Amino acid sequence: TLSGVYAFQGLPGLHDLEYPPPGATPAASPPLTARLIVEVEDTEDRFVPVAFAVEVPLPYRGVLTTAVGGSPPAADVPGFYLFSAPSRPAPLGLAVVRAELVDAVSGAPAAHAVLEVERPDGELAYGLAGAQGRVVAFMPYPMVITTLGASPPAPPAPLAGQRWPLVVRVRYAPARLVHPAGSTVPELRSVFHQAPAVLAVGAAGSGVPEHTVELAFGRELVLRSENRSTLLVEP
């Protein structure tokens, strides 16, 4: 619809409800409860493909709430989030955090890992890696640091010189991923139920559960292990 809501018709078992025979009386209760797999793919590669299961009485009227457990948004918000693909142009005015995640054990891309970025105010931004382990997270810049109230008054800090600390974490446990029948995309709930990974950020390969990095205004932040162009993660 014009509001961005997708309505599905012609689902298995609903033909008689959509096209009732003459003289038929509506059922007093929903006649069918179905477990459906919804798979979303953006043909313009702006968003990472996702799949999720729903088990609802049909027909279902209204906007479906999909709570995937531990992921944004809150459980009472209808609909579900799409996660930006690295190929999506960065929206103007937003901070950009990128990484190419690699499994430190197998050397393969850390497909379907979840990047979690925590701002200084505690707000979280998420990115979802695709099959090649590449991930991006877009988020508003943190609060600008000023010298308001300083004595004597100091000139305002230039925007180009603003810096903020960010804490990054990765959820990665490929053994926990569940692929719905007929889908090559893991179910979204299982993606966000992955356990926290270990980040190999030091030259010696020492691992940490989270890593603090610095975001500079106007510059994309690329996460890397030391002396590498990729970020090594270990389940």
Side-chain angles (χ1 to χ4, degrees):
T1 68
L2 293 178
S3 301
V5 176
Y6 288 80
F8 296 89
Q9 294 176 306
L11 297 175
L14 291 187
H15 180 273
D16 290 343
L17 287 171
E18 295 177 7
Y19 304 97
T25 57
S29 60
L32 177 67
T33 297
R35 185 177 189 272
L36 306 173
I37 303 298
V38 181
E39 186 172 323
V40 184
E41 180 180 356
D42 178 21
T43 57
E44 297 183 12
D45 294 327
R46 296 163 300 176
F47 300 96
V48 178
V50 295
F52 59 91
V54 293
E55 190 163 347
V56 295
L58 300 176
Y60 184 93
R61 294 178 174 86
V63 179
L64 183 68
T65 297
T66 57
V68 299
S71 74
D76 58 350
V77 178
F80 70 100
Y81 273 98
L82 287 174
F83 297 88
S84 295
S87 56
R88 180 188 178 194
L92 292 176
L94 293 185
V96 182
V97 180
R98 297 184 185 274
E100 183 174 348
L101 305 176
V102 174
D103 190 310
V105 177
S106 67
H112 313 300
V114 178
L115 173 66
E116 182 179 287
V117 183
E118 183 176 348
R119 307 191 321 171
D121 59 6
E123 290 292 322
L124 299 176
Y126 293 89
L128 184 59
Q132 298 303 314
R134 302 185 185 97
V135 61
V136 65
F138 299 132
M139 63 181 183
Y141 279 99
M143 186 75 69
V144 173
I145 302 171
T146 68
T147 55
L148 185 64
S151 181
L159 195 57
Q162 294 287 321
R163 302 287 189 275
W164 302 270
L166 302 177
V167 178
V168 296
R169 309 177 189 91
V170 174
R171 303 183 196 180
Y172 178 60
R176 294 193 179 186
L177 295 177
V178 176
H179 288 77
S183 175
T184 60
V185 182
E187 207 271 331
L188 190 58
R189 183 178 287 103
S190 72
V191 171
F192 274 90
H193 280 174
Q194 294 180 97
V198 174
L199 310 180
V201 293
S206 56
V208 293
E210 60 184 33
H211 183 46
T212 301
V213 292
E214 186 180 70
L215 172 69
F217 181 83
R219 294 174 55 189
E220 291 190 356
L221 174 60
V222 180
L223 307 176
R224 299 183 176 95
S225 296
E226 191 172 339
N227 300 326
R228 297 182 66 96
S229 62
T230 59
L231 179 60
L232 297 177
V233 298
E234 183 175 346

